[in-house]
């Protein structure tokens, strides 16, 4: 038997704000600076990546994704994560690790 654990954060109306998917989207966006490349790396459409960003923009007080004024050589807007977004990402990854660690330990005790 294997244990699988997922952690996500919801708003007060139970709307998904942050989880594994958004973590990957934000990491790739920060690395590539491109919505298009992020979509490719996550096997998503451009619109799906933008929807992830819009959910954060509309439901998190801090600005998470910064659109830079310039465009890259392909005439595409470039993006980067804010310092707040990087802190949230780091905190989420620590939380995910801690929950998984505890769950694996407890799973071994019970099974």
């Amino acid at each position: 038997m294997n244990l699988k654990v997922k952690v996500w954060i919801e708003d007060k109306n139970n709307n998904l704000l942050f989880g594994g998917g958004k973590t990957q989207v934000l990491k790739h966006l920060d690395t590539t600076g491109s919505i298009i490349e992020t979509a490719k790396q996550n096997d998503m459409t451009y619109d799906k990546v933008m929807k992830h960003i819009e959910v954060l923009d509309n439901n998190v007080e801090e600005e998470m994704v910064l659109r830079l004024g310039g465009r890259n050589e392909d005439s595409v807007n470039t993006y980067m994560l804010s310092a707040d977004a990087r802190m949230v990402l780091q905190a989420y990854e620590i939380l995910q690790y801690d929950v998984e660690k505890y769950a694996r330990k407890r799973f071994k005790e019970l099974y």
Side-chain angles (χ1 to χ4, degrees):
M1 279 192 285
N2 291 316
L3 176 69
K4 300 289 184 183
V5 178
K6 289 187 177 184
V7 174
W8 62 90
I9 300 168
E10 298 177 342
D11 67 10
K12 64 183 176 186
N13 297 318
N14 298 327
N15 296 311
L16 175 67
L17 291 181
F18 205 77
K22 281 191 181 60
T23 298
Q24 289 305 310
V25 167
L26 291 176
K27 281 182 167 183
H28 288 134
L29 187 60
D30 201 35
T31 302
T32 66
S34 164
I35 299 289
I36 293 169
E37 285 303 312
T38 297
K40 287 178 187 175
Q41 289 181 0
N42 288 281
D43 197 28
M44 294 179 174
T45 65
Y46 178 95
D47 290 340
K48 180 71 174 174
V49 172
M50 287 304 297
K51 185 70 176 167
H52 278 299
I53 293 168
E54 288 172 16
V55 166
L56 292 171
D57 284 345
N58 293 334
N59 295 293
V60 177
E61 287 183 28
E62 298 82 11
E63 190 171 23
M64 302 291 278
V65 177
L66 306 173
R67 182 175 149 208
L68 305 178
R71 293 176 176 264
N72 67 18
E73 61 275 359
D74 298 323
S75 288
V76 178
N77 285 320
T78 53
Y79 298 82
M80 67 179 282
L81 298 185
S82 68
D84 288 330
R86 286 190 181 96
M87 288 190 318
V88 169
L89 247 175
Q90 184 179 21
Y92 174 81
E93 289 176 332
I94 290 168
L95 177 64
Q96 177 73 30
Y97 174 81
D98 289 348
V99 168
E100 285 178 0
K101 184 178 175 182
Y102 172 78
R104 281 192 304 273
K105 178 182 178 250
R106 187 69 175 135
F107 183 77
K108 285 179 183 178
E109 292 171 0
L110 295 172
Y111 295 94

